[in-house]
Amino acid sequence: MTSQPRDAPQFYLTSPSACPYLPGKEERKVFTHIVGRRGRELNEILTQGGFRRSQTIAYRPACDACRACVSVRVLVNEFEPSGNLRRVLKDNADLIGNPLPNRPTSEQYSLFRRYVDARHADGGMADMTVLDYSMMVEDSHVDTKVIEYRRRGIDSGITGKGAGDLIAVCLTDEMSDGLSMVYSFYEPEMQDRSLGTFMILDHIRRAKAMGLPYLYLGYWVEGSKKMGYKARFKPQERLLAHGWVRVD
């Protein structure tokens, strides 16, 4: 009798469920576990192939009659912000992000709860407990950081850290060819700052400073208001049937 080695991925297919992006559609996902000694290597291969990570699960849409979900990655070395995006950077010039180990805190969870309750009260994360949140942050077999954004303090030029209340957070995977934004959230009462957009711009800057060519943004879904914003960050590459295709 033969057995599969622990590092060899096995793939599974979910049952159909309601699509969260396009009304009247159903979705299915193919998924596998990212565990073992090859966790980081496997995560990179799968991310480059259009998968996304959630804890120790890597998943990708596998819908029977729909290909609307398209993986997107920004070409960071060629990216130039538009006038609107430069205004977002200016409006948030008083913020600074501090990369930390992927350890959850009560302050993070409080911000997460305010964000979800205000923006996604009917979504899949609405019932997440503090334990669920802790698992989302900690349960990773890859190189994951939590980037906390706070206002610049008087010592920020020396320490590289912000001061005061936590304003935004991004859970980010560091890979050999880029950064992948796994999940982000922010203070919902500061909508006028466009904090979600600012965190993407800041990650583009971070990837470029690290000498990495890509920022992975997950799925762009044409016709979905939730995902349409990702088309703003060009030049980018989109993963189509025949590979990654540049879009300017």
Side-chain angles (χ1 to χ4, degrees):
M1 186 174 70
T2 61
S3 61
Q4 283 281 65
R6 188 170 184 265
D7 288 339
Q10 299 182 54
F11 293 87
Y12 307 89
L13 188 65
T14 65
S15 300
S17 60
C19 176
Y21 306 121
L22 299 176
K25 298 280 189 178
E26 288 189 333
E27 70 166 358
R28 300 186 78 180
K29 292 186 177 76
V30 60
F31 69 94
T32 189
H33 296 273
I34 308 173
V35 295
R37 293 168 298 174
R38 295 183 61 237
R40 176 168 180 164
E41 177 187 355
L42 179 60
N43 183 58
E44 294 204 11
I45 293 170
L46 292 174
T47 300
Q48 292 161 2
F51 280 73
R52 293 289 285 168
R53 185 184 72 81
S54 177
Q55 295 176 224
T56 59
I57 299 292
Y59 65 91
R60 187 180 71 179
C63 306
D64 293 333
C66 180
R67 297 292 182 270
C69 293
V70 177
S71 291
V72 169
R73 62 188 187 188
V74 182
L75 298 168
V76 301
N77 290 320
E78 299 181 56
F79 175 79
E80 292 291 340
S82 65
N84 285 337
L85 295 179
R86 285 196 296 271
R87 280 192 288 274
V88 172
L89 288 170
K90 182 178 178 180
D91 290 344
N92 292 283
D94 61 332
L95 301 186
I96 187 169
N98 184 29
L100 300 169
N102 57 319
R103 299 290 181 266
T105 67
S106 58
E107 187 182 24
Q108 290 171 15
Y109 181 69
S110 295
L111 178 60
F112 170 79
R113 278 261 50 103
R114 292 197 300 275
Y115 171 80
V116 171
D117 291 344
R119 299 292 302 269
H120 303 288
D122 57 348
M125 292 185 166
D127 297 327
M128 283 182 66
T129 66
V130 65
L131 178 59
D132 295 328
Y133 175 79
S134 296
M135 291 293 290
M136 180 178 75
V137 173
E138 286 186 311
D139 199 4
S140 170
H141 287 245
V142 303
D143 192 356
T144 302
K145 295 288 190 295
V146 173
I147 301 180
E148 293 188 345
Y149 293 86
R150 303 175 191 269
R151 285 190 170 91
R152 294 180 183 272
I154 56 174
D155 296 326
S156 291
I158 300 173
T159 66
K161 300 177 181 179
D165 294 338
L166 186 62
I167 291 175
V169 174
C170 188
L171 188 64
T172 304
D173 287 347
E174 296 183 4
M175 304 185 300
S176 62
D177 71 340
L179 300 178
S180 176
M181 297 179 71
V182 177
Y183 188 73
S184 61
F185 53 94
Y186 51 85
E187 179 56 64
E189 294 184 0
M190 296 182 175
Q191 294 186 58
D192 56 334
R193 280 181 172 263
S194 300
L195 288 167
T197 297
F198 169 70
M199 282 189 278
I200 293 175
L201 294 169
D202 182 65
H203 274 68
I204 291 173
R205 179 194 62 78
R206 289 175 183 275
K208 187 174 183 178
M210 296 169 69
L212 303 173
Y214 303 117
L215 173 64
Y216 288 85
L217 293 182
Y219 300 115
W220 167 72
V221 183
E222 188 172 12
S224 169
K225 292 182 178 179
K226 291 182 180 179
M227 296 296 182
Y229 69 91
K230 297 179 183 181
R232 301 174 66 190
F233 302 93
K234 296 175 181 174
Q236 62 183 225
E237 291 182 344
R238 298 175 184 173
L239 185 57
L240 305 180
H242 50 288
W244 290 97
V245 176
R246 181 186 175 108
V247 177
D248 288 295

